[in-house]
């Protein structure tokens, strides 16, 4: 008898090939082919149940079909290391599934659409998997700290699209003292997030909602930090920080305290309104920055939106000698264009490292001073390779708009090859 295809392969090889599958639909299809293939299920290291895996079930039976399939497959996969469930399921059954694989499970990712998940405490059962290394949760509601105990092995914690109380945030993070990666993305939360993690290297905190939140972060090893939605920010331990982003889409940023940032390579400041004290504090600590982006619309500590105070161009660049890429937007750029900003320019002044500049101009007001600043950036930046002037939403009803644009065109022509209009 002649054999071909997978029939000619030893059982161990077949098991190895099938163990590379993770999608539950593919696994179910393969298990129906032969007993040999079905017997390979216990060797599966990963199970993935996609969002629409059971859409073909009888009306009203989607959750029941998912519960049955997840239960059977988790029970059969004796060596399961990774479980990802995006489809709707009954959170009441979660403790049974996790307990069955508590000895082997290392990665857990759940999409929890039930608003009652936290109310009944079903997510507390995650703590039974003390060996978890990565945990990702989507769409949950958590108003109190989870009863996970100590998750000593957990390195990655990601929570997306959740409604969280500040005590829940602090409690969840405190239960995972050895995190290297923390992401709280698109989460509704108010109050104070107090996070202290000795091993944290990468952190993304994106809080949404109209409330004012504060952040106290102690992370001596953090290298990448992105925070959004906080009005008060305090960072202790930024000696290794390389990438730092602060943004706030609504409301104001009142205070930022970081200490010196000697390894900082990239700094991004974004928002509608910042207090000038917060801006000054960050810029003072970021004297070693290589890439700086400033896109802030207004200044001021209270409801009244205020223009930015005068920023001396010479003092600014003398305080950031390693700056290579500089992006500045609208009103922030106008702050470099006040009447005294160029008063200290002399033959000894130079911008030593600047190579790329992106300037967004939105108003023809003070056109002469803005042009002078653009000329100075070109004249005193010996390494400048490219300057992009972006004309954005300029009101053409102003009589000076056409003249200003014509002057910028002339400036671009005089510095052809290095300056362009976008």
């Amino acid at each position: 008898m002649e054999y071909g295809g997978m029939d000619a392969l030893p059982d161990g090889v077949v098991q190895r090939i099938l163990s590379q599958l993770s999608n539950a639909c593919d696994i179910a299809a393969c298990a129906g082919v032969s007993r040999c293939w079905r017997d390979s299920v216990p060797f599966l290291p990963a199970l993935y149940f996609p969002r629409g895996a059971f859409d073909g079930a009888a009306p009203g039976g989607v959750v029941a079909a998912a519960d049955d399939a997840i239960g059977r497959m988790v029970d059969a996969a004796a060596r399961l290391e990774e479980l990802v469930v995006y489809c709707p399921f009954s959170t009441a059954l979660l403790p049974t599934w996790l307990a069955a694989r508590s000895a082997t499970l290392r990665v857990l990712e759940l999409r929890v659409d039930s608003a009652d998940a936290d109310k009944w405490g079903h997510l507390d059962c995650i703590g039974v998997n003390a060996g978890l290394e990565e945990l990702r949760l989507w769409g949950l509601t958590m108003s109190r700290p989870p009863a996970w105990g100590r998750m000593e092995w957990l390195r990655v914690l990601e929570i997306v699209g959740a409604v969280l109380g500040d005590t829940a945030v602090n409690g969840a993070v405190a239960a995972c003292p050895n995190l290297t990666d923390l992401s709280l993305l698109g989460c509704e939360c108010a109050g104070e997030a107090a996070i202290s993690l000795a091993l944290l290297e990468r952190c993304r905190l994106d809080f949404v909602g109209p409330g004012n939140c504060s952040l106290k972060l102690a992370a001596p090893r953090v290298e990448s930090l992105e925070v959004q939605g906080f009005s008060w920010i305090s960072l202790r331990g930024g000696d290794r920080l390389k990438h730092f982003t602060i943004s706030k889409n609504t409301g104001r940023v009142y205070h930022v305290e970081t200490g010196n940032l000697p390894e900082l390579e990239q700094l991004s400041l974004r928002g509608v309104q910042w207090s000038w004290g917060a801006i000054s504090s960050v810029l003072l600590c970021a004297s070693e920055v290589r890439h700086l982006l400033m896109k802030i619309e207004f200044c001021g500590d209270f409801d009244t939106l205020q223009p930015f105070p005068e920023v001396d161009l010479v003092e600014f660049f003398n305080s950031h000698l390693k700056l290579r890429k500089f992006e500045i937007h609208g009103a922030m750029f106008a702050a470099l264009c006040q009447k005294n900003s160029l008063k200290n320019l002399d033959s000894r002044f130079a911008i030593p490292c600047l190579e790329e500049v992106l300037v967004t101009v939105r108003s023809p007001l003070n056109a002469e001073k803005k042009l002078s600043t653009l000329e100075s950036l070109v004249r005193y930046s010996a390494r400048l390779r490219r300057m992009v002037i972006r004309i954005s939403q300029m009101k053409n009803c102003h009589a000076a708009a056409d003249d200003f644009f014509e002057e910028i065109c002339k400036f671009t022509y005089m510095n052809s090859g290095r300056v362009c209009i976008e």
Side-chain angles (χ1 to χ4, degrees), residues 384-420:
L384 187 67
R385 295 185 290 105
R386 181 174 177 82
M387 172 185 285
V388 176
I389 304 172
R390 179 178 296 163
I391 309 297
S392 174
Q393 300 176 345
M394 185 176 292
K395 304 295 184 180
N396 199 39
C397 59
H398 196 285
D402 289 340
D403 293 339
F404 181 43
F405 186 75
E406 183 179 350
E407 291 298 322
I408 290 180
C409 290
K410 291 180 180 178
F411 171 72
T412 302
Y413 177 77
M414 294 297 293
N415 295 277
S416 179
R418 288 201 294 174
V419 182
C420 66

Side-chain angles (χ1 to χ4, degrees), residues 19 76 137 170 179 183 301 403:
S19 70
L137 301 172
N170 299 334
L179 290 177
S183 298
D301 294 320
D403 293 339

Side-chain angles (χ1 to χ4, degrees), residues 11-75:
D11 290 347
V13 176
V14 174
Q15 291 175 354
R16 176 62 177 172
I17 293 173
L18 296 180
S19 70
Q20 304 304 306
L21 297 176
S22 62
N23 190 299
C25 300
D26 296 337
I27 294 169
C30 290
V33 172
S34 69
R35 181 177 179 179
C36 174
W37 289 26
R38 185 165 59 253
D39 290 343
S40 299
V41 173
F43 301 95
L44 292 172
L47 284 174
Y48 166 56
F49 296 86
R51 183 68 174 168
F54 302 96
D55 286 350
V62 173
V63 173
D67 291 344
D68 178 64
I70 295 172
R72 286 188 292 103
M73 298 184 77
V74 168
D75 186 61

Side-chain angles (χ1 to χ4, degrees), residues 68 77 95 115 118 125 134 144 159 168 200 210 221 234 237 240-241 251 254 283 390 395:
D68 178 64
D118 176 60
C125 67
E134 300 181 21
R144 60 170 178 80
I159 299 177
L200 189 67
R221 294 191 179 184
S234 174
R240 300 186 182 184
L241 190 61
Y254 293 104
L283 293 178
R390 179 178 296 163
K395 304 295 184 180

Side-chain angles (χ1 to χ4, degrees), residues 266-392:
Q266 183 172 346
L267 174 64
S268 176
L269 308 180
R270 300 173 180 267
V272 177
Q273 183 180 1
W274 282 48
S275 77
W276 182 246
I279 298 173
S280 300
S281 175
V282 178
L283 293 178
L284 179 64
C285 296
S287 59
E288 305 297 314
V289 69
R290 278 76 161 173
H291 178 184
L292 175 61
L293 184 153
M294 295 195 294
K295 186 178 180 180
I296 303 172
E297 301 291 342
F298 300 99
C299 195
D301 294 320
F302 305 103
D303 292 337
T304 303
L305 302 176
Q306 299 177 354
F308 294 94
E310 175 183 328
V311 178
D312 187 276
L313 184 143
V314 175
E315 181 180 339
F316 176 84
F317 283 101
N318 280 341
S319 299
H320 301 89
L321 293 174
K322 296 182 180 180
L323 194 60
R324 294 181 180 178
K325 187 173 181 179
F326 185 40
E327 301 180 49
I328 188 166
H329 182 274
M332 289 291 296
F333 172 66
L336 288 172
C337 305
Q338 301 300 318
K339 59 182 180 180
N340 295 322
S341 63
L342 306 179
K343 62 184 180 181
N344 295 325
L345 288 180
D346 56 39
S347 59
R348 294 171 295 177
F349 173 70
I351 304 175
C353 298
L354 192 63
E355 297 178 357
E356 298 181 50
V357 176
L358 171 59
V359 176
T360 301
V361 182
R362 300 180 61 179
S363 169
L365 297 177
N366 299 315
E368 183 178 349
K369 296 172 184 176
K370 291 177 181 178
L371 285 168
S372 296
T373 299
L374 292 173
E375 292 170 355
S376 297
L377 289 174
V378 172
R379 182 184 305 125
Y380 294 97
S381 301
R383 297 187 180 182
L384 187 67
R385 295 185 290 105
R386 181 174 177 82
M387 172 185 285
V388 176
I389 304 172
R390 179 178 296 163
I391 309 297
S392 174

Side-chain angles (χ1 to χ4, degrees), residues 200-203 219-225 235 237-238 240-241:
L200 189 67
E201 297 178 1
R202 290 162 291 275
C203 183
R221 294 191 179 184
V222 68
E223 296 182 0
S224 177
L225 176 60
L235 170 64
R240 300 186 182 184
L241 190 61

